[in-house]
Amino acid sequence: MKSRNLIIIVLVILAIAPQVLPTFQITLLNYIGLYALVVLGLVLLTGVGGMTSFGQAAFVGLGAYSSAYLTTTEQLPSWLAWSAGSPWVGLLIGLLLTAAVALFLGALTLKLSGHYLPLGTIAWGISLYYLFGTMSSMGGYTGISGLPSLSLFGVLLDKGEKIYYLIWAILMVAVWITSNLLNSREGRAIRALKGGQLMAESMGVNTFRSKMVIFLISALFAAISGWLYAHTQRFVNPTPFGLSMGIDYLFMALVGGVGSVWGALLGAGILTMLKQWLQDWLPLVMGGNGQYEAIVLGLLIIFMMQRSPGGIWPLLVKLAPASWRNQNHIKITSSAAELPRRDLPQKGKLILEACNVTRRFGGLVANNQMNLKLHAGEVLALIGPNGAGKSTMFNQLSAVDTPSDGEILFLNQSLKGKSSRQVAHMGMSRTFQHVKLLATMTVLENVALGAHLRGNKGIISSALHIEREEEQRLLQEAQYQLERVGLGEHLYTEAGSLSLGQQRILEIARALCADPCVLLLDEPAAGLRHKEKQALAELLKKLRQEGLAILLVEHDMDFVMNLADRIVVMEFGEKIAEGLPEEVQSNPAVLEAYLGGAE
């Protein structure tokens, strides 16, 4: 059975459920659908983007209260009178209000890192909760009653089994949108947020924009859930929109699988049903009344997090046949047009220049008055003993770091004030001393991230699945670069399962995917076997012939001496020698500082 057929079977079961299940079970399914919609946003925000939020319940409240106010207030302000109290207009206004609040709060909190981000979400979540309770126009803590039932195409959705179809239809659309988004150019940028922001910025990804996108989407999903909740209950008060419910949503995501789209549905279903079952049975076992279910539920979640920190859905996926899992791989068509390529500068033209670059870290001078030049069609090696300041210089050349004094010119433009993302768009690409890749993504997807700056389709195109032509072009380019470096047989292998040497080769393929005119390689031969080094040297020679300028930091002297056109030697942050390989090899200062002393 194909996974697509399994999904169809599940949809058929959901469609006939209201016809065969009692009213109470339908009510539970409605709550599961409402909760899953919120949790789906948390999968994007927390599971994929790596940003923990305790404030999603507040966004649910914004959606609920916006429509409640609009549909129950007798004298609406003149600028809202045109709405005639329509719940559908309430949805629109709730989404607009939620979007405005989310953009404001995101601008304030998404720049925080570590434990400050979740603390920030707790702060504004509590603030919005108390705002709902203290505003007399919103009914205070008593709440607002008498909300109208929804009506769709003349059908009044006044019963649970009727609004059930709307809840689950919206949820399935949200699942489809989220799945489309994650399997796209924008989705790769979003998935790079968790543990790969420095790398993503160097590949041309605007990581703050990606954070804002998923923060906004998760808030809008929550607002839609709140709107549905309000018109299902026909009553709202602040209680369901407090911090405790925000924690419950996170628990649902953790139980189902915080990084899995379908885990959102699974987690919402399991926690909702389990909580109901515990509420029914624990008083009979324990005797008396009390919130025993909260205690037991907490212990069960702790146990599950110890045994399966990734949640239940990833466990189910592992049990599924391999053929099902492989069906998610995007097939590459050879008919897609090639991506346009930049014209490389004329061979011998000065491309990159460091002029008296000094970098201080407090009282430590890591680089002192460093000068170097890199020309088109040239391989320049930067060598020196450990602690010589090579990596610091490398980071300044790629705009990851900024010189304290001096200037770096790339294509006759100063890099002062420019980010690594901007420099990547100008035509500079790099690898890293410590390999930076997304271990759970395929090799193909990792390399396609390098082509991010060569695409222009945005979030809406990705969510609606109408950017397939560009996506095919990006993936085809990634496949070409992988075949070029000898990793063509590993397209759908998880990048984390490659050897260290293969991961370094993957980084080079990813850098080439950006179509650069300057390639900065940080210890590219580290971890490679002899034949792999030979293949890498041949590739770099070919790139040099094509006109690419290559700067590499390397410790393997045989590799450097047989490849580099010129060599710059550093010691204690300063340049002590520069010249042809044979000149550097015989330089007394180099022999003393780096090669073990002159004979």
Side-chain angles (χ1 to χ4, degrees):
M1 182 187 295
K2 293 183 178 180
S3 57
R4 182 176 297 178
N5 293 339
L6 183 61
I7 292 174
I8 292 173
I9 292 173
V10 171
L11 292 177
V12 170
I13 293 173
L14 287 173
I16 64 175
Q19 312 304 320
V20 297
L21 293 177
T23 301
F24 176 73
Q25 300 297 330
I26 296 302
T27 301
L28 276 182
L29 284 175
N30 285 343
Y31 278 118
I32 290 170
L34 293 172
Y35 296 156
L37 191 55
V38 184
V39 178
L40 191 61
L42 278 175
V43 165
L44 272 177
L45 188 64
T46 302
V48 179
M51 296 174 286
T52 303
S53 173
F54 291 91
Q56 295 306 105
F59 289 130
V60 179
L62 280 176
Y65 269 100
S66 297
S67 194
Y69 172 77
L70 192 74
T71 56
T72 60
T73 302
E74 294 183 3
Q75 287 285 58
L76 288 171
S78 57
W79 61 278
L80 284 177
W82 59 273
S83 68
S86 167
W88 295 95
V89 177
L91 171 62
L92 176 62
I93 291 176
L95 290 176
L96 292 174
L97 177 62
T98 301
V101 173
L103 289 173
F104 174 73
L105 293 176
L108 291 178
T109 57
L110 294 184
K111 292 181 180 178
L112 301 174
S113 59
H115 59 276
Y116 294 105
L117 176 59
L119 287 175
T121 64
I122 289 174
W124 55 253
I126 292 174
S127 298
L128 287 175
Y129 168 74
Y130 283 115
L131 179 66
F132 298 145
T134 54
M135 291 182 66
S136 57
S137 60
M138 298 295 182
Y141 288 100
T142 304
I144 303 175
S145 59
L147 276 71
S149 297
L150 296 175
S151 179
L152 183 63
F153 302 121
V155 178
L156 188 64
L157 308 180
D158 57 344
K159 295 182 178 180
E161 56 267 26
K162 292 182 178 180
I163 201 169
Y164 164 93
Y165 288 106
L166 179 62
I167 291 172
W168 281 88
I170 290 176
L171 176 59
M172 289 300 105
V173 170
V175 167
W176 177 72
I177 286 173
T178 306
S179 298
N180 289 343
L181 180 59
L182 290 178
N183 291 307
S184 69
R185 167 182 171 268
E186 291 283 359
R188 285 188 292 274
I190 291 168
R191 285 187 280 170
L193 294 175
K194 193 174 182 179
Q197 292 190 47
L198 175 61
M199 175 271 292
E201 284 281 337
S202 297
M203 294 297 110
V205 175
N206 187 335
T207 55
F208 183 73
R209 173 184 174 274
S210 295
K211 288 180 180 181
M212 287 294 291
V213 163
I214 56 176
F215 189 73
L216 179 61
I217 291 174
S218 65
L220 292 178
F221 281 174
I224 295 172
S225 176
W227 173 76
L228 288 167
Y229 171 84
H231 291 284
T232 300
Q233 294 290 99
R234 301 182 64 186
F235 166 79
V236 293
N237 73 352
T239 303
F241 314 127
L243 180 60
S244 62
M245 195 63 211
I247 295 173
D248 280 352
Y249 288 134
L250 269 176
F251 280 161
M252 291 176 191
L254 290 170
V255 168
V258 72
S260 310
V261 171
W262 292 104
L265 279 69
L266 186 65
I270 289 175
L271 208 67
T272 302
M273 299 295 287
L274 185 59
K275 184 181 288 188
Q276 184 62 48
W277 184 83
L278 291 173
Q279 286 175 345
D280 291 341
W281 287 96
L282 281 178
L284 300 178
V285 176
M286 306 295 292
N289 296 318
Q291 292 185 329
Y292 300 116
E293 74 279 359
I295 300 171
V296 175
L297 205 58
L299 293 174
L300 288 174
I301 289 173
I302 292 172
F303 176 78
M304 200 207 77
M305 289 298 100
Q306 290 178 334
R307 297 294 181 180
S308 178
I312 296 175
W313 182 258
L315 291 179
L316 297 179
V317 171
K318 288 180 181 179
L319 295 175
S323 58
W324 289 17
R325 298 193 295 268
N326 293 337
Q327 288 172 21
N328 294 326
H329 297 323
I330 301 173
K331 298 297 184 290
I332 303 173
T333 60
S334 57
S335 59
E338 289 187 5
L339 292 172
R341 302 191 182 279
R342 73 172 76 240
D343 294 327
L344 294 178
Q346 185 177 358
K347 189 172 182 179
K349 180 180 178 180
L350 179 62
I351 294 184
L352 183 63
E353 182 178 11
C355 306
N356 299 318
V357 170
T358 298
R359 184 67 174 104
R360 303 184 189 89
F361 295 96
L364 173 66
V365 180
N367 293 147
N368 185 31
Q369 297 290 308
M370 276 295 300
N371 293 277
L372 61 80
K373 295 182 179 181
L374 178 63
H375 302 84
E378 176 187 40
V379 176
L380 175 66
L382 185 62
I383 69 172
N386 290 331
K390 302 184 301 297
S391 294
T392 302
M393 189 66 195
F394 193 92
N395 285 334
Q396 290 174 100
L397 292 171
S398 57
V400 171
D401 198 4
T402 304
S404 303
D405 293 307
E407 189 174 34
I408 295 173
L409 301 176
F410 177 43
L411 298 174
N412 294 322
Q413 294 186 49
S414 173
L415 298 189
K416 186 176 183 180
K418 286 185 167 56
S419 65
S420 58
R421 180 180 74 252
Q422 293 170 314
V423 172
H425 280 273
M426 293 169 65
M428 185 187 297
S429 197
R430 64 164 292 178
T431 65
F432 296 86
Q433 180 181 7
H434 303 290
V435 174
K436 296 185 184 299
L437 47 75
L438 305 172
T440 59
M441 283 172 56
T442 65
V443 169
L444 181 68
E445 290 174 310
N446 269 274
V447 174
L449 187 63
H452 180 87
L453 51 78
R454 300 173 70 182
N456 53 36
K457 298 295 183 181
I459 294 296
I460 294 177
S461 297
S462 299
L464 298 180
H465 209 53
I466 56 177
E467 45 35 288
R468 291 296 94 184
E469 181 180 352
E470 179 184 88
E471 179 69 359
Q472 282 293 324
R473 298 173 75 187
L474 297 176
L475 293 176
Q476 187 172 285
E477 174 70 12
Q479 181 184 27
Y480 165 72
Q481 298 297 350
L482 281 166
E483 291 172 347
R484 195 179 190 187
V485 301
L487 291 177
E489 62 184 20
H490 297 286
L491 296 182
Y492 301 113
T493 304
E494 281 194 357
S497 66
L498 297 180
S499 67
L500 176 59
Q502 289 174 319
Q503 291 178 359
R504 291 196 178 278
I505 297 297
L506 182 153
E507 280 206 319
I508 294 174
R510 185 179 63 200
L512 291 174
C513 237
D515 190 31
C517 61
V518 169
L519 186 61
L520 306 183
L521 305 177
D522 200 347
E523 299 190 20
L528 270 62
R529 293 184 288 268
H530 179 67
K531 288 187 176 180
E532 291 174 330
K533 289 180 182 179
Q534 288 181 324
L536 174 59
E538 290 302 316
L539 172 64
L540 297 182
K541 289 176 183 177
K542 183 179 179 181
L543 295 174
R544 175 175 60 189
Q545 291 172 357
E546 293 175 2
L548 199 65
I550 302 172
L551 184 145
L552 60 91
V553 172
E554 186 53 67
H555 286 292
D556 189 323
M557 287 300 98
D558 289 335
F559 182 80
V560 168
M561 295 301 172
N562 292 322
L563 176 65
D565 297 300
R566 289 187 303 115
I567 298 176
V568 171
V569 187
M570 293 181 65
E571 184 185 25
F572 300 122
E574 297 182 345
K575 180 168 67 175
I576 62 171
E578 179 177 1
L580 302 175
E582 55 270 20
E583 294 173 346
V584 169
Q585 280 181 307
S586 59
N587 189 305
V590 176
L591 292 172
E592 181 66 29
Y594 189 76
L595 300 179
E599 296 181 357

